[in-house]
Structure formats: structure tokens, C-alpha cells
Amino acid sequence: MVDVGRKIGLVTCYDLRFPELFRSLVDRGAEMFVVIAAWTPGPYKEDHWITLARARAIENTMWTVAVGKAPEIEPPPSGGPTGIGRSLLIDPMGVVRTDLGGFPGTAVGTVDDDATERIRRLLPSASHRRIAIGEVTEN
């Protein structure tokens, strides 16, 4: 299914660690984030995946779809294992609306633009920014 007419900020997994990239996508007109990932398993890595994806949604009051490659059932022929799964649909308040867990699966979710507007009225942080990208302030 294609969401015709929506401007999507598309990023890859490691990009989650750089909030300024997401803010620049908002400044360029993104209306939703999609993160595609083969997030590497390891200590606390699943927590990082979920926390960072939720943080990017919250700080930008933006719907975020984080698509995580499910773990290998059989060991890969070369290299280490990749993917933890945990594909997520996160609303602009950071609430995880859908979580596929650590297994292959499919889900259909709804991106509610009315909810986005209500949340942005409740939490208008994006409109309260004091410095725009590239703007220089004098002390």
C-alpha cells in the first residue's frame, strides 16, 4: 500500500543516533519518518532501537515507521547475525501503536493526521524552536 501525497523522510538504521538529521528532514518538509534497518543484536541494542525510534517521533511530533529485519532462523553463511525484528509504528507522542516483535510478520496501521494536529497543539515544541538550520545568532 502506498500513502500517495505524503512526504516521507527515509533513513537507515544507524541514522537513528543522529537527531539533527531527522530535524533537517522536517525542515525540508517531511511529514512522516520511515526507518529501514538490519539492527545488530547485542547487549541493550534492542532497547536502543526502540528508545531512539520513539525519541525521534517525540522530538519531531512525527509518525515514525521503523522497519526492522527479523533475525535469521538459520545462521548466515558468512558474517555475523543481523536483525532483531521489532518493526514499529510509533505515533507523534512516542506511543508504540504496533510492534511485530522479533519475528517475521506483517501489520497494517493507520497514520492519523488528525491525531498529529491534536498532539502538536498539545506539545508545540517544533513551533517553539529558536534556531533554524543554518541560522547564526549573535550573543
Side-chain angles (χ1 to χ4, degrees), residues 27-39:
D27 289 342
R28 289 179 171 90
E31 299 169 319
M32 176 180 180
F33 298 133
V34 174
V35 184
I36 50 174
W39 200 261

PDB file of all heavy atoms in Angstrom, residues 27-39:
ATOM      1  N   ASP A  27      12.637  20.059   8.423  1.00  0.00           N
ATOM      2  CA  ASP A  27      12.835  21.379   7.817  1.00  0.00           C
ATOM      3  C   ASP A  27      12.670  21.343   6.305  1.00  0.00           C
ATOM      4  O   ASP A  27      12.335  22.350   5.687  1.00  0.00           O
ATOM      5  CB  ASP A  27      14.218  21.931   8.163  1.00  0.00           C
ATOM      6  CG  ASP A  27      14.338  22.335   9.616  1.00  0.00           C
ATOM      7  OD1 ASP A  27      13.297  22.523  10.288  1.00  0.00           O
ATOM      8  OD2 ASP A  27      15.485  22.465  10.096  1.00  0.00           O
ATOM      9  N   ARG A  28      12.892  20.178   5.711  1.00  0.00           N
ATOM     10  CA  ARG A  28      12.749  20.023   4.257  1.00  0.00           C
ATOM     11  C   ARG A  28      11.350  19.538   3.859  1.00  0.00           C
ATOM     12  O   ARG A  28      11.107  19.226   2.710  1.00  0.00           O
ATOM     13  CB  ARG A  28      13.812  19.066   3.739  1.00  0.00           C
ATOM     14  CG  ARG A  28      15.207  19.652   3.779  1.00  0.00           C
ATOM     15  CD  ARG A  28      16.230  18.641   3.280  1.00  0.00           C
ATOM     16  NE  ARG A  28      17.524  19.249   3.109  1.00  0.00           N
ATOM     17  CZ  ARG A  28      18.458  19.308   4.055  1.00  0.00           C
ATOM     18  NH1 ARG A  28      18.222  18.797   5.250  1.00  0.00           N
ATOM     19  NH2 ARG A  28      19.619  19.880   3.827  1.00  0.00           N
ATOM     20  N   GLY A  29      10.444  19.434   4.838  1.00  0.00           N
ATOM     21  CA  GLY A  29       9.055  19.124   4.517  1.00  0.00           C
ATOM     22  C   GLY A  29       8.597  17.708   4.799  1.00  0.00           C
ATOM     23  O   GLY A  29       7.460  17.360   4.459  1.00  0.00           O
ATOM     24  N   ALA A  30       9.420  16.874   5.437  1.00  0.00           N
ATOM     25  CA  ALA A  30       8.982  15.506   5.741  1.00  0.00           C
ATOM     26  C   ALA A  30       7.745  15.540   6.631  1.00  0.00           C
ATOM     27  O   ALA A  30       7.643  16.357   7.544  1.00  0.00           O
ATOM     28  CB  ALA A  30      10.098  14.720   6.420  1.00  0.00           C
ATOM     29  N   GLU A  31       6.808  14.649   6.339  1.00  0.00           N
ATOM     30  CA  GLU A  31       5.568  14.553   7.102  1.00  0.00           C
ATOM     31  C   GLU A  31       5.474  13.248   7.879  1.00  0.00           C
ATOM     32  O   GLU A  31       4.522  13.037   8.632  1.00  0.00           O
ATOM     33  CB  GLU A  31       4.375  14.666   6.147  1.00  0.00           C
ATOM     34  CG  GLU A  31       4.360  15.990   5.407  1.00  0.00           C
ATOM     35  CD  GLU A  31       3.368  16.016   4.276  1.00  0.00           C
ATOM     36  OE1 GLU A  31       3.246  15.012   3.534  1.00  0.00           O
ATOM     37  OE2 GLU A  31       2.696  17.060   4.131  1.00  0.00           O
ATOM     38  N   MET A  32       6.474  12.392   7.679  1.00  0.00           N
ATOM     39  CA  MET A  32       6.494  11.083   8.319  1.00  0.00           C
ATOM     40  C   MET A  32       7.904  10.528   8.151  1.00  0.00           C
ATOM     41  O   MET A  32       8.573  10.827   7.166  1.00  0.00           O
ATOM     42  CB  MET A  32       5.483  10.174   7.620  1.00  0.00           C
ATOM     43  CG  MET A  32       5.429   8.789   8.075  1.00  0.00           C
ATOM     44  SD  MET A  32       4.133   7.975   7.063  1.00  0.00           S
ATOM     45  CE  MET A  32       4.226   6.370   7.733  1.00  0.00           C
ATOM     46  N   PHE A  33       8.373   9.751   9.130  1.00  0.00           N
ATOM     47  CA  PHE A  33       9.672   9.102   9.007  1.00  0.00           C
ATOM     48  C   PHE A  33       9.485   7.615   8.743  1.00  0.00           C
ATOM     49  O   PHE A  33       8.605   6.985   9.330  1.00  0.00           O
ATOM     50  CB  PHE A  33      10.499   9.223  10.292  1.00  0.00           C
ATOM     51  CG  PHE A  33      10.832  10.618  10.694  1.00  0.00           C
ATOM     52  CD1 PHE A  33      10.644  11.027  12.007  1.00  0.00           C
ATOM     53  CD2 PHE A  33      11.346  11.534   9.794  1.00  0.00           C
ATOM     54  CE1 PHE A  33      10.967  12.314  12.407  1.00  0.00           C
ATOM     55  CE2 PHE A  33      11.663  12.822  10.181  1.00  0.00           C
ATOM     56  CZ  PHE A  33      11.473  13.203  11.494  1.00  0.00           C
ATOM     57  N   VAL A  34      10.352   7.070   7.886  1.00  0.00           N
ATOM     58  CA  VAL A  34      10.444   5.626   7.700  1.00  0.00           C
ATOM     59  C   VAL A  34      11.910   5.255   7.882  1.00  0.00           C
ATOM     60  O   VAL A  34      12.777   5.810   7.209  1.00  0.00           O
ATOM     61  CB  VAL A  34       9.932   5.182   6.316  1.00  0.00           C
ATOM     62  CG1 VAL A  34      10.170   3.687   6.109  1.00  0.00           C
ATOM     63  CG2 VAL A  34       8.447   5.506   6.157  1.00  0.00           C
ATOM     64  N   VAL A  35      12.149   4.349   8.827  1.00  0.00           N
ATOM     65  CA  VAL A  35      13.499   3.881   9.121  1.00  0.00           C
ATOM     66  C   VAL A  35      13.571   2.419   8.700  1.00  0.00           C
ATOM     67  O   VAL A  35      12.767   1.607   9.157  1.00  0.00           O
ATOM     68  CB  VAL A  35      13.812   3.974  10.635  1.00  0.00           C
ATOM     69  CG1 VAL A  35      15.252   3.572  10.915  1.00  0.00           C
ATOM     70  CG2 VAL A  35      13.486   5.350  11.177  1.00  0.00           C
ATOM     71  N   ILE A  36      14.531   2.099   7.818  1.00  0.00           N
ATOM     72  CA  ILE A  36      14.721   0.699   7.429  1.00  0.00           C
ATOM     73  C   ILE A  36      16.019   0.217   8.071  1.00  0.00           C
ATOM     74  O   ILE A  36      17.018   0.937   8.077  1.00  0.00           O
ATOM     75  CB  ILE A  36      14.747   0.532   5.899  1.00  0.00           C
ATOM     76  CG1 ILE A  36      15.715   1.513   5.243  1.00  0.00           C
ATOM     77  CG2 ILE A  36      13.356   0.703   5.320  1.00  0.00           C
ATOM     78  CD1 ILE A  36      15.895   1.312   3.765  1.00  0.00           C
ATOM     79  N   ALA A  37      15.974  -0.989   8.658  1.00  0.00           N
ATOM     80  CA  ALA A  37      17.104  -1.394   9.486  1.00  0.00           C
ATOM     81  C   ALA A  37      17.365  -2.888   9.474  1.00  0.00           C
ATOM     82  O   ALA A  37      16.453  -3.696   9.349  1.00  0.00           O
ATOM     83  CB  ALA A  37      16.851  -0.954  10.920  1.00  0.00           C
ATOM     84  N   ALA A  38      18.636  -3.205   9.621  1.00  0.00           N
ATOM     85  CA  ALA A  38      19.094  -4.545   9.998  1.00  0.00           C
ATOM     86  C   ALA A  38      19.898  -4.320  11.281  1.00  0.00           C
ATOM     87  O   ALA A  38      21.118  -4.404  11.299  1.00  0.00           O
ATOM     88  CB  ALA A  38      19.942  -5.171   8.901  1.00  0.00           C
ATOM     89  N   TRP A  39      19.187  -3.946  12.334  1.00  0.00           N
ATOM     90  CA  TRP A  39      19.798  -3.566  13.611  1.00  0.00           C
ATOM     91  C   TRP A  39      20.537  -4.762  14.196  1.00  0.00           C
ATOM     92  O   TRP A  39      19.978  -5.837  14.349  1.00  0.00           O
ATOM     93  CB  TRP A  39      18.705  -3.096  14.563  1.00  0.00           C
ATOM     94  CG  TRP A  39      19.164  -2.262  15.706  1.00  0.00           C
ATOM     95  CD1 TRP A  39      19.375  -2.702  16.976  1.00  0.00           C
ATOM     96  CD2 TRP A  39      19.433  -0.873  15.713  1.00  0.00           C
ATOM     97  NE1 TRP A  39      19.768  -1.665  17.776  1.00  0.00           N
ATOM     98  CE2 TRP A  39      19.815  -0.512  17.013  1.00  0.00           C
ATOM     99  CE3 TRP A  39      19.404   0.120  14.730  1.00  0.00           C
ATOM    100  CZ2 TRP A  39      20.154   0.778  17.375  1.00  0.00           C
ATOM    101  CZ3 TRP A  39      19.739   1.408  15.095  1.00  0.00           C
ATOM    102  CH2 TRP A  39      20.109   1.732  16.400  1.00  0.00           C
TER     103      TRP A  39
END
